[in-house]
Amino acid sequence: MRLSTAFIPTLKEVPAEAHIPSHQLMIRSGLIRPLGAGIYSFLPMGYRVAQKVMGIIREEQNAIGGQEFHLPALNPSEIWEQTGRVEAFGDTMFHIGNREGLVLAPTHEEIMTYHAKQHINSYKDMPQMWYQIQTKFRNEPRPRSGVLRGRQFTMKDAYSLDATEQGLDESYNKQAQAYRNIYERCGIEYFIVGASSGSMGGSASQEFMVASEHGEDTCAVDMQSGYAANIEVATSAVAPVGRVENSAAIEEFETPDARTIDDLIANYNCEEHRCAKSVVYVVSDEIVLFVLRGNDALNEDKVQRATGTDKVRPATDEEIEHTFGAKPGSLGPIGVDTKVRIIVDNLLKDANGLTTGANKTGFHIRNVDLTRDAGDLVYADIRTVEAGEPEPGGSGNALSVVNAIEIGHIFKLGTKYSEALEATFLDENGKANPIIMGSYGIGVERIMACFIEQHHDENGIVWSEALAPYKVQLMSLGAKKSEEVRDTADRLYSELLEAGVEVLFDDRDVSPGFKFKDADLMGMPYQLVVGAKGLANGEVEIKNRATGERKSVLVDTAVQLLSA
Ligand code: ATP
Ligand code: MG
């Protein structure tokens, strides 16, 4: 491609709306243009990169027996109603305004299961691995950071169909390996975390993460022991509070100015971890009391798992006073209406010597013994792990808590969708069972943006050969003045094309400085510079964009060197 006729609108200025390097550079180097909030047009250069990413994904999916589909983005909502996901996705799902009963698909579990129901009848029809690379729509509430979170984006989504749990394990492991291959070939540094299955349902799930201060996910990791988990599910080896020797009688005391745990610690001689904090949530219309250690933070994802629903929200002050007869800050698990469910964090299991609110505004009680004084309690892991806590494997290493971008997610779905949509098969004994499924997603744009986050410098993008729009940027310097420069550059251009090298030829009549700046911004792996000075010695220059290394080579060897 000749730059003089190409549409590659590069920008010197950093666009005001872009706050992270990948977003800035994708706009500045002419890969994308914004069209609306969370909506981006891919320009020719950007689409070349997207196609390279999709090519790698496609090869790795085909290598594990994947069969490529292309499903419609426009879906009958009826199918989504049957699995309860119209409600589960809520506002995130786009509904068509002028055609009743149609939605834009945010993912495709339902549609793949629908087709499986039609034609998979026997255990002999499985295993199957189905995938597509296709546009998804999600009404993300806060689309930001460019294509990392779009309202329209491209996902490779794959689905495995198996007759046995063992079959599912095999399919899942194949996908996990395919994902590792994809990220390695794309040149992405990543780590894998255990994750929550969220609205997808199912048992096991892992996320592929890129550490980044701009990430919207939080993970607890210890690279040394290999422990890594999304904060939604992370645990640690912090010791439980346990019991003190003497279980003294409960004693009420006045705490008129204590609203927080810190007030209690500072003014009432309470040990931080033995001040049990009480937090009230509404769980599907039911008031539930959660009790945790001192300053531990309640983890909403864990609350969802402990209660088996994602319909959870903090209770209002009015709801709290109505149920407990006291203001927030004076609540506790003792003397509560027996109809109120109480869920206590595992670290407080059977603990005593605790201080809690008295369920009487401005009063607390000490010497609380959960085994002696409380009614029915359920124990669960409901706290958020913090940096510095020992990782759960027992190595004693401290966890770090890092921000990360999710670039892929694999799930063992089990039978949630096949049961809901009645996709069954006959097993070896002629008995009907629901198909056992897995689901595997990768974001194409996120791979592009994460690659740029990890591979850029102050001058621009540094593409790898695998993802670069072109391998070589050929530049002619002062071609207008020198016929030799013009002819040599033209000749090298044709020879590179003939050798099958993807080359972008900067044949524009602009200054050398301008060409160099654009070439560094666009970031092709190699720059081939043809100028009068070098040609006087029969030489051209090859610059390696990643290392900055430049070397002069004989004109006649350039094509061979670059086509290796
Ligand atoms: P997130 O938690 O970041 O919203 P998700 O867990 O909802 O993502 P999945 O449903 O697991 O995402 O989708 C699979 C993959 O699709 C993700 O790992 C990610 O790479 C990509 N993806 C999801 N949502 C978006 C989006 N809004 N824009 C771009 N890529 C996305
Ligand atoms: Mg996910």
Side-chain angles (χ1 to χ4, degrees):
M1 173 59 73
R2 284 174 183 268
L3 246 177
S4 57
T5 55
F7 179 63
I8 307 175
T10 55
L11 297 177
K12 260 211 209 97
E13 304 301 325
V14 175
E17 77 272 21
H19 303 294
I20 65 170
S22 58
H23 191 192
Q24 293 169 347
L25 287 169
M26 285 180 85
I27 294 178
R28 284 190 58 214
S29 68
L31 302 185
I32 58 165
R33 282 295 179 268
L35 187 63
I39 314 176
Y40 293 88
S41 298
F42 273 73
L43 308 188
M45 282 270 280
Y47 198 54
R48 283 182 77 90
V49 180
Q51 280 176 308
K52 302 235 161 147
V53 173
M54 293 189 279
I56 290 171
I57 292 174
R58 186 171 279 121
E59 280 175 22
E60 295 297 334
Q61 289 296 305
N62 292 343
I64 56 166
Q67 303 165 75
E68 188 166 1
F69 280 59
H70 190 71
L71 301 178
L74 208 50
N75 288 183
S77 52
E78 197 191 332
I79 300 179
W80 289 83
E81 294 284 0
Q82 288 176 50
T83 58
R85 283 221 292 182
V86 171
E87 204 190 336
F89 270 106
D91 260 355
T92 305
M93 186 179 247
F94 282 108
H95 292 255
I96 305 294
N98 67 347
R99 180 65 65 184
E100 191 77 8
L102 285 182
V103 295
L104 292 178
T107 171
H108 277 91
E109 278 77 10
E110 276 76 356
I111 308 308
M112 285 293 192
T113 313
Y114 176 83
H115 292 304
K117 173 189 164 69
Q118 291 173 317
H119 298 293
I120 301 293
N121 301 316
S122 152
Y123 72 97
K124 291 182 194 150
D125 299 332
M126 293 183 281
Q128 290 285 329
M129 185 69 81
W130 296 350
Y131 81 98
Q132 62 172 340
I133 301 176
Q134 192 252 15
T135 306
K136 304 284 186 248
F137 296 88
R138 292 185 187 179
N139 187 18
E140 300 279 0
R142 295 175 310 277
R144 56 176 175 211
S145 309
V147 300
L148 279 175
R149 185 172 294 287
R151 288 196 167 131
Q152 168 172 342
F153 61 96
T154 314
M155 197 202 288
K156 184 288 296 172
D157 45 323
Y159 306 86
S160 59
L161 311 178
D162 279 282
T164 61
E165 288 291 337
Q166 192 196 341
L168 169 62
D169 289 347
E170 281 167 25
S171 299
Y172 183 90
N173 292 341
K174 277 186 191 165
Q175 281 290 355
Q177 185 56 47
Y179 274 45
R180 289 198 234 20
N181 297 349
I182 290 167
Y183 300 127
E184 255 148 54
R185 287 180 63 185
C186 287
I188 301 242
E189 245 178 76
Y190 67 97
F191 61 97
I192 302 177
V193 300
S196 158
S197 305
S199 73
M200 292 289 177
S203 54
S205 119
Q206 283 170 307
E207 285 167 338
F208 295 78
M209 291 286 186
V210 166
S212 160
E213 56 177 313
H214 310 296
E216 292 180 40
D217 277 87
T218 310
C219 301
V221 297
D222 166 42
M223 293 305 175
Q224 228 177 329
S225 69
Y227 179 77
N230 196 306
I231 205 80
E232 297 164 352
V233 297
T235 58
S236 72
V238 164
V241 167
R243 297 182 65 79
V244 291
E245 221 162 273
N246 292 323
S247 219
I250 283 186
E251 198 182 292
E252 186 177 277
F253 60 107
E254 210 172 335
T255 50
D257 45 5
R259 286 278 305 167
T260 65
I261 295 290
D262 286 337
D263 295 339
L264 277 177
I265 298 164
N267 304 322
Y268 298 93
N269 197 23
C270 294
E271 202 188 318
E272 175 170 350
H273 293 325
R274 288 191 190 272
C275 292
K277 168 162 94 180
S278 298
V279 184
V280 185
Y281 261 65
V282 178
V283 176
S284 318
D285 297 334
E286 177 201 349
I287 294 272
V288 180
L289 177 65
F290 293 90
V291 183
L292 311 95
R293 235 175 32 148
N295 279 324
D296 280 354
L298 186 69
N299 184 308
E300 236 176 65
D301 294 283
K302 292 184 177 178
V303 165
Q304 291 181 6
R305 272 194 308 285
T307 57
T309 170
D310 54 7
K311 285 200 214 78
V312 304
R313 63 165 174 87
T316 63
D317 285 6
E318 291 74 52
E319 286 167 330
I320 290 173
E321 279 198 69
H322 179 77
T323 306
F324 295 88
K327 289 197 188 325
S330 297
L331 308 178
I334 311 303
V336 177
D337 180 339
T338 51
K339 286 201 286 288
V340 175
R341 244 203 304 170
I342 303 175
I343 300 181
V344 181
D345 185 65
N346 283 339
L347 289 185
L348 287 176
K349 181 127 183 35
D350 300 336
N352 67 351
L354 303 176
T355 299
T356 76
N359 293 320
K360 182 167 151 193
T361 302
F363 287 86
H364 277 75
I365 48 178
R366 57 171 69 98
N367 306 329
V368 170
D369 183 337
L370 291 180
T371 57
R372 178 191 68 192
D373 307 320
D376 281 347
L377 303 178
V378 172
Y379 289 100
D381 173 24
I382 51 172
R383 68 184 287 273
T384 306
V385 158
E386 292 200 11
E389 293 177 4
E391 60 89 14
S395 69
N397 294 344
L399 288 170
S400 351
V401 173
V402 299
N403 290 337
I405 300 167
E406 179 197 316
I407 47 170
H409 200 165
I410 56 178
F411 299 88
K412 286 186 186 172
L413 290 178
T415 55
K416 174 175 165 164
Y417 297 92
S418 47
E419 272 178 51
L421 294 166
E422 295 170 349
T424 57
F425 69 96
L426 295 180
D427 66 17
E428 286 173 60
N429 306 315
K431 188 172 162 267
N433 290 309
I435 296 171
I436 303 174
M437 297 178 62
S439 146
Y440 316 90
I442 254 186
V444 172
E445 292 89 342
R446 278 201 195 169
I447 290 189
M448 290 175 64
C450 285
F451 179 89
I452 297 171
E453 287 292 327
Q454 292 180 344
H455 303 272
H456 70 271
D457 60 19
E458 65 281 11
N459 301 319
I461 302 175
V462 183
W463 287 117
S464 64
E465 276 189 46
L467 299 193
Y470 295 90
K471 180 175 174 181
V472 177
Q473 184 134 347
L474 169 64
M475 286 173 261
S476 56
L477 307 183
K480 215 173 177 185
K481 275 195 238 138
S482 160
E483 202 174 317
E484 194 191 2
V485 168
R486 196 169 56 240
D487 289 349
T488 309
D490 275 342
R491 180 162 60 82
L492 286 171
Y493 180 54
S494 337
E495 287 176 11
L496 282 166
L497 288 179
E498 247 166 68
V501 178
E502 293 179 311
V503 52
L504 182 63
F505 179 14
D506 193 347
D507 59 341
R508 295 173 300 179
D509 184 18
V510 295
S511 74
F514 194 90
K515 289 192 182 186
F516 289 135
K517 271 214 155 59
D518 253 6
D520 277 354
L521 173 63
M522 290 192 260
M524 297 335 148
Y526 300 99
Q527 298 171 10
L528 175 58
V529 185
V530 183
K533 234 173 158 185
L535 285 187
N537 303 321
E539 288 177 340
V540 288
E541 191 179 69
I542 296 176
K543 175 179 158 186
N544 180 315
R545 174 69 180 89
T547 62
E549 182 203 352
R550 301 161 182 277
K551 61 178 178 202
S552 292
V553 303
L554 291 175
V555 176
D556 291 337
T557 60
V559 171
Q560 202 194 352
L561 283 169
L562 289 170
S563 54

